[in-house]
Amino acid sequence: MDVQRLKESFARVAMHGDAVPLFFYSDLFLRHPETRDLFPVSMAAQRDRLVHALARIVADVDNLDDLAVYLKGLGRDHRKFGTVAEHYPAVGTSLLATLAHFNGPDWTPELAADWKAAYGLVAQVMIAAADEDAGTRPSFWDATVLAHELRRFDIATFRLATTEPLAYLPGQSVSVESPERPRIWRFYSMANAPRDDLTMDFHVRMIDGGALSMVLTRGLAAGARLRVGPPVGALTYAPGSPRDVLLIAGSTGLAPLKAIVEQISGLAAPRQVHLFFGARTADGLYDLADLEKMADGYPWLTVVPAVSDDPGFRGERGQLPEVVARHGSWRQHDAYVAGPTPMVEATVAQLTALGVPPSQIHTEDFGWSEP
Amino acid sequence: MTVMPRNDGRLTPDQVQSVTFPTARLGRRGYDEEHVRAFCAHVERELVTLLNEKAALWEEVQRLRQRIMGHSDDLPGYRPEDAHIQAVRVLSNAQQTADRYVADAQLYSRQLAEDARRRRDEVLSEAHRYAERVLEEAHGTATRAAEAALTGPVSLTAGERRELTAELAYLRTFSDVYRTHLRAYLEALLRNVEEWERAEKSSIAAARADLPFLPADRLP
């Protein structure tokens, strides 16, 4: 396999931009109409994803160790989309047809053979990882909503029960799909430690124009069906740590940190825990009543609510990083930060400035900013 | 503006899509973000169209060249590959139309939600200010009344007693009126919210009714 020739031909094709994945998916859907159902109505985001994945694979084609890790993850991830081994040859045929089309007169039998071999390897690694994963867990979990509560016009909490057990660590998240928005998956953190009754709690913040968050905040009721994917995320607490714990939550970033508080409450000797919960206005502290109840019951837990844009609030006022800095230096703590992107970035910068070692700072960026 | 250089300097739709503009300096007005975004979307669409046209022309050239060079045995009519490429193009156009509809609907819903949020913040802060004013005035009146009662003579003449009784009656009425005002105002706000929710529900129902092709099990 001539790696350089492969890369050059991909660069020639990539020059055509969005026309390339557009051709690929049309070719795939014409040859195998049944595959259309695996994708959402709008394919715009999907096309970007395909191009990025292809670019990533081609760039790393001579760095097989890294590539294998990436491909295995990709293979496992594709299970929840309904991808099965039979789909891989179909994708391969359409990929080669697309490359042939855009390479034009430069498409030689040697180049075709190189691509065929490369795709064969990619598919083999992905299928093997998917098969291995299939031996240990379902591709997705069916779930039913048990209760849904609108806490503010744009913040809701809901509880669901999965039909099969789903093992996860407190602080992790799962991707969620609703039949109201088929094939659109978004990640949400569990707000509780694992329970025996297979129920899980979620906190959702409505993103303006957000495809799924609008359904989950305002369009959900008890009895609604959802699907959830396998748990992911590294915002997890190691019970053996000799340090006290600092939890900093912005808005619904509270969910994974509340799960960690629950986890610590089950330990024989809980460390001291400080939980800072911040929002723009007091009505954004949607779960404060429950947190205060927990603080009353757990002598090791201190809850500090903080509000940034509400002069009438009778508690800590200011941006979360400032408020946290006012309460200590936290150098001897394990810090966990979750919430909107600007809040997570500013808080990490503040903690670093206070001298908290990076190895003690754990974050989960929710990928949006407060309107 | 930053564009990752790639593909020997050619601009691709992907690059236009991921372009970033630096934020304007403090106190200076920068470009309107919405406009920049709309412009990028336009440029992207334009580029895609141009590239598709170019690909189509290139294929036509290939086909004609083959025909001239005498490679084509079946002179008139299409070969099966041509038919497939045509089908791919038709499907691609249909998909792009669908993508645009979804993007437009998403933009519209985002703008609606942003407007609603802004309006809600305005209404809430107005209600806040109003409630504060009512409280302040009531507090001031009560303080004045208390001061008058304290500094007044211990023994009251019948006239003074009458005056104070009248003031007390006035204060009661005053407080009643304010409470009624405040209640009416809050109820109006509540009605607003309820109407908003009703409108939202009926528009969702209407939107669903417009989508008869949705399988029944996808409806809640």
Short mmCIF file of all heavy atoms in Angstrom, two decimals, chain A residues 8 24 130 238-239 286 368:
data_model
loop_
_atom_site.label_atom_id
_atom_site.label_comp_id
_atom_site.label_asym_id
_atom_site.label_seq_id
_atom_site.Cartn_x
_atom_site.Cartn_y
_atom_site.Cartn_z
N GLU A 8 -2.22 11.77 -1.17
CA GLU A 8 -2.34 12.74 -2.28
C GLU A 8 -3.71 12.66 -2.94
O GLU A 8 -4.33 13.67 -3.24
CB GLU A 8 -1.23 12.48 -3.31
CG GLU A 8 0.10 13.09 -2.92
CD GLU A 8 1.25 12.57 -3.78
OE1 GLU A 8 0.97 11.93 -4.84
OE2 GLU A 8 2.40 12.79 -3.38
N PHE A 24 -21.22 10.89 -1.79
CA PHE A 24 -21.09 9.60 -1.12
C PHE A 24 -22.44 9.12 -0.57
O PHE A 24 -22.85 7.99 -0.81
CB PHE A 24 -20.08 9.72 0.03
CG PHE A 24 -20.11 8.55 0.98
CD1 PHE A 24 -19.49 7.36 0.67
CD2 PHE A 24 -20.80 8.65 2.20
CE1 PHE A 24 -19.54 6.27 1.53
CE2 PHE A 24 -20.85 7.57 3.06
CZ PHE A 24 -20.22 6.38 2.74
N ALA A 130 -16.82 -3.55 17.49
CA ALA A 130 -18.27 -3.57 17.70
C ALA A 130 -18.72 -4.94 18.19
O ALA A 130 -19.53 -5.05 19.11
CB ALA A 130 -18.99 -3.20 16.40
N ALA A 238 -12.50 9.14 42.68
CA ALA A 238 -11.83 7.94 43.18
C ALA A 238 -11.98 7.92 44.70
O ALA A 238 -11.40 8.74 45.39
CB ALA A 238 -10.35 7.98 42.80
N PRO A 239 -12.76 6.97 45.23
CA PRO A 239 -13.07 6.97 46.67
C PRO A 239 -11.84 6.88 47.56
O PRO A 239 -11.89 7.28 48.71
CB PRO A 239 -13.95 5.73 46.84
CG PRO A 239 -14.50 5.46 45.50
CD PRO A 239 -13.45 5.89 44.52
N TYR A 286 -32.16 25.88 40.35
CA TYR A 286 -33.39 25.10 40.26
C TYR A 286 -33.45 23.93 41.23
O TYR A 286 -34.51 23.36 41.44
CB TYR A 286 -33.54 24.58 38.82
CG TYR A 286 -32.40 23.67 38.44
CD1 TYR A 286 -32.49 22.30 38.58
CD2 TYR A 286 -31.20 24.20 37.98
CE1 TYR A 286 -31.43 21.47 38.28
CE2 TYR A 286 -30.13 23.38 37.67
CZ TYR A 286 -30.25 22.03 37.82
OH TYR A 286 -29.19 21.22 37.53
N TRP A 368 -22.07 24.73 25.91
CA TRP A 368 -22.90 25.88 25.54
C TRP A 368 -22.60 27.01 26.50
O TRP A 368 -21.92 26.83 27.50
CB TRP A 368 -24.39 25.55 25.53
CG TRP A 368 -24.91 24.70 26.66
CD1 TRP A 368 -25.10 23.35 26.63
CD2 TRP A 368 -25.30 25.12 27.98
NE1 TRP A 368 -25.57 22.91 27.83
CE2 TRP A 368 -25.72 23.97 28.67
CE3 TRP A 368 -25.37 26.36 28.62
CZ2 TRP A 368 -26.17 24.02 29.99
CZ3 TRP A 368 -25.82 26.40 29.93
CH2 TRP A 368 -26.22 25.23 30.60
#
